[in-house]
Amino acid sequence: MSALLKHMRSYIIFPRVEDLPTVKGDFYALGHIPNIIGAIDGTHVALVPRRSEQVYRNRKGYYLMNVQMVCLADQYISHVNAKFPGSCHDAYILRKSSIPYVMGPLQRHHVWLLGDSGYPNLSWLLTPVRNPRPRAEERYNEAHGRTRWIIERTFGLLKARFRCLHMTGGSLFYSPKKVCQIIVACCMLHNLALRRQVPFLQEDGPDGGVVAAVEPVDSEDEKAEEEDMDNRDSVIQQYFQ
C-alpha cells in the first residue's frame, strides 16, 4: 500500500484551469447551476482506536473517522481529507484542510464548490438556502440538491467497491494513521477503476441497496454560520429568477 500511496498525486487530482470548461459543463448537466467544479461532503468510516477513544466517538457511540471528499460529476474523487476523527464537524475540517488554498487561485475564474448546510456559505462554496421563500430560492435549492447528490452517490459507489469502508463490513482494526492510508488508497483505486472503466456488478449497485446505504456525516443538528450570502444571492438572482 505504501508503494501505491507514493503516487497519490497522480490518481487524486483537483481540476486544473484547462479542465474547468469540461468539469463545469458536466456539473451543469446535473442541475443547471453554472460554474460548479466539485461537490463536497463528509462521510464516516468506522474504526477501533487503541487510544484517545473519546476523540473518535460520535454522539451515537461509534468510533469513526470523518472523511471529507470532493468529487466531480462523473464520481471521480478530486480531493480527500481522511485524518480527522468523527467528533470533528464538517466546517471545522474544511477550515483545516487545503481546500481554501486550492480554491483561492481559481476565484478569478468564478467557480464554486457545492456543500450542504453543515458548511459556511463562502465566496467559493455555495450552500442551500435554509428557509427558502421566494420561488427563485426554491428553484435554487432544488437545483442545488440535484447537483450535490453526486457526492452521496460517490460515497455509495466507493463503499460498495471497498466494503471495509462501509459499516456493514465492520470496523477497521488499525491505528488511525493506518486507517487514513487505507481510505486514501481506496479512493485512488476507485478513481483508477473509473478511468479504466472497470465494470461494477449491478447486484452491488443501487438496486442491491449497497450504494444507497451510505453513512453521511451526522452533523448533530449543527448549522454553519452564513458568511458570504451576497455571493449566493447573486447566483440566485442571475440564474433562478
Side-chain angles (χ1 to χ4, degrees):
M1 185 170 64
S2 59
L4 178 64
L5 291 173
K6 291 180 181 178
H7 301 280
M8 183 186 70
R9 295 184 184 277
S10 299
Y11 289 86
I12 300 176
I13 306 170
F14 205 79
R16 297 161 295 193
V17 172
E18 58 267 30
D19 301 325
L20 296 184
T22 299
V23 173
K24 291 190 293 184
D26 292 342
F27 269 108
Y28 187 80
L30 296 180
H32 291 176
I33 301 180
N35 300 327
I36 302 303
I37 63 168
I40 185 171
D41 203 357
T43 189
H44 282 150
V45 173
L47 78 161
V48 181
R50 297 177 182 176
R51 57 185 69 174
S52 302
E53 295 181 2
Q54 70 281 359
V55 175
Y56 295 91
R57 184 169 54 224
N58 73 347
R59 66 172 182 167
K60 296 181 180 179
Y62 299 114
Y63 298 110
L64 305 163
M65 296 296 293
N66 187 344
V67 185
Q68 180 182 268
M69 296 185 196
V70 179
C71 77
L72 304 185
D74 62 357
Q75 298 182 274
Y76 178 92
I77 296 170
S78 59
H79 185 274
V80 58
N81 193 332
K83 65 181 181 180
F84 287 91
S87 58
C88 292
H89 190 257
D90 284 353
Y92 173 83
I93 296 175
L94 180 67
R95 289 195 301 270
K96 297 296 183 179
S97 74
S98 62
I99 287 294
Y101 302 99
V102 172
M103 289 298 296
L106 295 176
Q107 282 305 280
R108 66 179 183 272
H109 300 283
H110 306 289
V111 294
W112 301 290
L113 299 180
L114 287 186
D116 64 18
S117 56
Y119 290 101
N121 201 71
L122 303 170
S123 61
W124 47 266
L125 176 59
L126 298 177
T127 61
V129 177
R130 295 179 190 171
N131 299 297
R133 293 181 180 178
R135 180 57 185 152
E137 291 184 351
E138 294 176 354
R139 285 195 292 266
Y140 164 79
N141 274 7
E142 291 167 1
H144 189 287
R146 289 196 304 270
T147 308
R148 202 192 65 81
W149 160 87
I150 196 63
I151 186 65
E152 304 296 346
R153 295 287 296 172
T154 300
F155 289 149
L157 180 58
L158 175 69
K159 291 185 176 186
R161 283 191 184 277
F162 303 99
R163 293 297 297 277
C164 64
L165 304 183
H166 197 283
M167 284 188 176
T168 58
S171 300
L172 291 170
F173 285 79
Y174 300 98
S175 68
K177 181 179 179 180
K178 188 72 170 181
V179 170
C180 293
Q181 293 173 340
I182 291 171
I183 294 168
V184 173
C186 289
C187 291
M188 294 170 65
L189 294 173
H190 164 88
N191 285 349
L192 182 61
L194 288 179
R195 291 298 181 251
R196 296 193 177 181
Q197 300 181 333
V198 176
F200 187 67
L201 297 178
Q202 185 64 31
E203 57 266 27
D204 291 333
D207 294 338
V210 176
V211 169
V214 184
E215 303 88 11
V217 165
D218 183 355
S219 65
E220 301 186 1
D221 297 324
E222 293 186 58
K223 301 296 181 183
E225 293 295 325
E226 301 285 5
E227 295 189 17
D228 194 345
M229 290 184 291
D230 290 343
N231 179 58
R232 184 178 63 192
D233 290 344
S234 176
V235 172
I236 293 173
Q237 292 172 12
Q238 186 173 355
Y239 298 105
F240 294 96
Q241 287 290 357

